[in-house]
Amino acid sequence: MSSQPATPARVEHQQTDKGYVPVYTTAVVEQPWDAYTAVDHNVWAQLFERQRKLLVGRASDEFLVAQDAMGMTPDAIPKFAELNNILEKATGWTLVGVEGLLPELTFFEHLANRRFPVTWWIRKPEQLDYLAEPDLFHDLFGHVPLLMNPVFADYMAAYGRGGVKAHGIGPEALVNLTRLYWYTVEFGLIRQADGLRIYGSGIVSSKGESIHCLESDAPNRIGFDLERIMRTRYRIDTFQKTYFVIDSFEQLMQATQPDFAPIYARLAQAPSYPAGTVLETDRVFHRGSGEGWPDDADF
Ligand code: PHE
Ligand code: CO
């Protein structure tokens, strides 16, 4: 029926004379499941087993429960269609295959419609510990489980609608909103009765950061504060200098309900904070030692 090629493109960052730059793509593709090699399935299995072991006792109970409920296993790369059977019934979200990074507005529109874009291809064996862009492991293992959680599922859709709106307001609004995504969806911590736990996808899909974010003295761990986060720059190439801690997904949902337009207007006048700053007004769970921090610019 479709005129798509049997195997969609693998769109990755490109080395150019301006350095290593992201390449964007808008296509939605069928997951070419039969095209995965034994090496691909083995990369999935290794990463899955390594991270699951690390995350029991470190990731939030909600994350671990949701991942089990989805039936993801290390045995083989999951089929999006099979995960969708479960996910759609649970929270109305569906996974769509993509070839790589999406332009911002396209990404927001998917989220607003409860479609989560998942990169179809998986990293190479020599990239187990790090790659600069999202792949199937980051997207599926990291992001998708919490879409089973009704409150988090609603937050992600609200974020998508908020993204469409911020895109219409302008680039500064988008910078503020992207920082919120970064410090919650990608690098968020949550306070559980038995201590701090991870829920951010960028952390759960990284071996090094899963340990660093909870156990290292170096980074700050600070209570969630919406406008504070919107003003805080971040690192894209090293571990975070600061993690923000929510008390619950309900708190996150409630704090982000208000119309952000007046906040964006106010913040347009306000200076941003460096990634490692601690403010007097912060609720500090841990003040980072700053050990090993690079002092070059953050975003
Ligand atoms: N309330 C936000 C707005 O008016 C939308 C939003 C919700 C953004 C949840 C992020 C997360 O823009
Ligand atoms: Co991500």
Side-chain angles (χ1 to χ4, degrees), residues 106-170:
T106 312
F107 180 64
F108 295 143
E109 283 169 341
H110 280 303
L111 298 186
N113 291 290
R114 292 188 176 250
R115 290 188 303 260
F116 194 81
V118 177
T119 306
W120 76 265
W121 54 266
I122 194 161
R123 68 193 70 183
K124 305 195 173 88
E126 59 272 22
Q127 298 171 308
L128 285 197
D129 293 331
Y130 184 78
L131 80 171
E133 61 204 298
D135 73 331
L136 179 136
F137 184 74
H138 170 78
D139 288 340
L140 211 51
F141 184 98
H143 283 283
V144 171
L146 278 180
L147 295 175
M148 291 285 285
N149 177 286
V151 180
F152 194 83
D154 286 350
Y155 173 68
M156 288 295 281
Y159 179 85
R161 293 192 296 275
V164 173
K165 189 168 102 183
H167 190 269
I169 294 175

Side-chain angles (χ1 to χ4, degrees), residues 155 158-159 161-163 165 177 180 256-261 264:
Y155 173 68
Y159 179 85
R161 293 192 296 275
K165 189 168 102 183
L177 188 68
L180 174 65
T256 52
Q257 284 297 298
D259 180 7
F260 285 3
Y264 296 142

Side-chain angles (χ1 to χ4, degrees), residues 16-86:
T16 71
D17 51 0
K18 292 192 184 64
Y20 200 46
V21 300
V23 182
Y24 297 91
T25 169
T26 58
V28 166
V29 299
E30 199 68 45
Q31 181 188 25
W33 198 85
D34 292 330
Y36 294 131
T37 64
V39 172
D40 291 332
H41 288 297
N42 192 256
V43 166
W44 169 264
Q46 280 192 63
L47 286 170
F48 188 107
E49 273 169 353
R50 187 172 88 174
Q51 286 310 109
R52 241 339 256 220
K53 247 181 243 142
L54 219 49
L55 291 175
V56 173
R58 289 197 178 88
S60 75
D61 290 341
E62 279 108 330
F63 177 90
L64 297 167
V65 165
Q67 197 168 52
D68 288 339
M70 290 211 82
M72 283 189 202
T73 73
D75 305 345
I77 292 176
K79 293 183 174 166
F80 299 170
E82 285 176 11
L83 298 178
N84 277 340
N85 287 333
I86 298 163

Side-chain angles (χ1 to χ4, degrees), residues 2-298:
S2 104
S3 55
Q4 279 172 15
T7 305
R10 179 179 175 124
V11 176
E12 296 172 79
H13 288 21
Q14 297 292 328
Q15 190 62 52
T16 71
D17 51 0
K18 292 192 184 64
Y20 200 46
V21 300
V23 182
Y24 297 91
T25 169
T26 58
V28 166
V29 299
E30 199 68 45
Q31 181 188 25
W33 198 85
D34 292 330
Y36 294 131
T37 64
V39 172
D40 291 332
H41 288 297
N42 192 256
V43 166
W44 169 264
Q46 280 192 63
L47 286 170
F48 188 107
E49 273 169 353
R50 187 172 88 174
Q51 286 310 109
R52 241 339 256 220
K53 247 181 243 142
L54 219 49
L55 291 175
V56 173
R58 289 197 178 88
S60 75
D61 290 341
E62 279 108 330
F63 177 90
L64 297 167
V65 165
Q67 197 168 52
D68 288 339
M70 290 211 82
M72 283 189 202
T73 73
D75 305 345
I77 292 176
K79 293 183 174 166
F80 299 170
E82 285 176 11
L83 298 178
N84 277 340
N85 287 333
I86 298 163
L87 183 58
E88 222 175 332
K89 278 189 206 92
T91 57
W93 276 79
T94 52
L95 311 180
V96 294
V98 294
E99 296 179 312
L101 272 188
L102 304 179
E104 274 170 326
L105 184 57
T106 312
F107 180 64
F108 295 143
E109 283 169 341
H110 280 303
L111 298 186
N113 291 290
R114 292 188 176 250
R115 290 188 303 260
F116 194 81
V118 177
T119 306
W120 76 265
W121 54 266
I122 194 161
R123 68 193 70 183
K124 305 195 173 88
E126 59 272 22
Q127 298 171 308
L128 285 197
D129 293 331
Y130 184 78
L131 80 171
E133 61 204 298
D135 73 331
L136 179 136
F137 184 74
H138 170 78
D139 288 340
L140 211 51
F141 184 98
H143 283 283
V144 171
L146 278 180
L147 295 175
M148 291 285 285
N149 177 286
V151 180
F152 194 83
D154 286 350
Y155 173 68
M156 288 295 281
Y159 179 85
R161 293 192 296 275
V164 173
K165 189 168 102 183
H167 190 269
I169 294 175
E172 282 118 345
L174 270 185
V175 168
N176 293 143
L177 188 68
T178 301
R179 290 185 185 136
L180 174 65
Y181 189 87
W182 191 264
Y183 281 119
T184 59
V185 177
E186 293 291 355
F187 291 96
L189 298 182
I190 186 167
R191 200 164 58 96
Q192 250 178 233
D194 54 355
L196 299 189
R197 299 284 192 103
I198 305 162
Y199 72 94
S201 318
I203 307 177
V204 297
S205 60
S206 157
K207 178 187 174 193
E209 198 144 11
S210 292
I211 299 168
H212 178 86
C213 71
L214 294 176
E215 282 145 68
S216 170
D217 273 344
N220 302 311
R221 291 181 273 272
I222 293 172
F224 177 90
D225 174 336
L226 180 68
E227 289 192 37
R228 186 336 179 173
I229 288 176
M230 285 184 166
R231 292 176 63 175
T232 308
R233 305 200 293 267
Y234 57 83
R235 310 287 313 188
I236 56 166
D237 53 349
T238 60
F239 295 152
Q240 299 307 306
K241 295 180 176 179
T242 300
Y243 300 93
F244 289 94
V245 181
I246 59 171
D247 293 323
S248 64
F249 293 131
E250 285 79 8
Q251 178 204 19
L252 185 57
M253 196 62 200
Q254 268 171 24
T256 52
Q257 284 297 298
D259 180 7
F260 285 3
I263 304 179
Y264 296 142
R266 189 159 60 239
L267 294 190
Q269 261 57 260
S272 63
Y273 302 121
T277 297
V278 177
L279 306 174
E280 255 173 44
T281 45
D282 285 337
R283 176 181 172 208
V284 180
F285 290 95
H286 173 81
R287 181 180 291 265
S289 68
E291 198 192 328
W293 280 356
D295 50 15
D296 53 336
D298 36 47

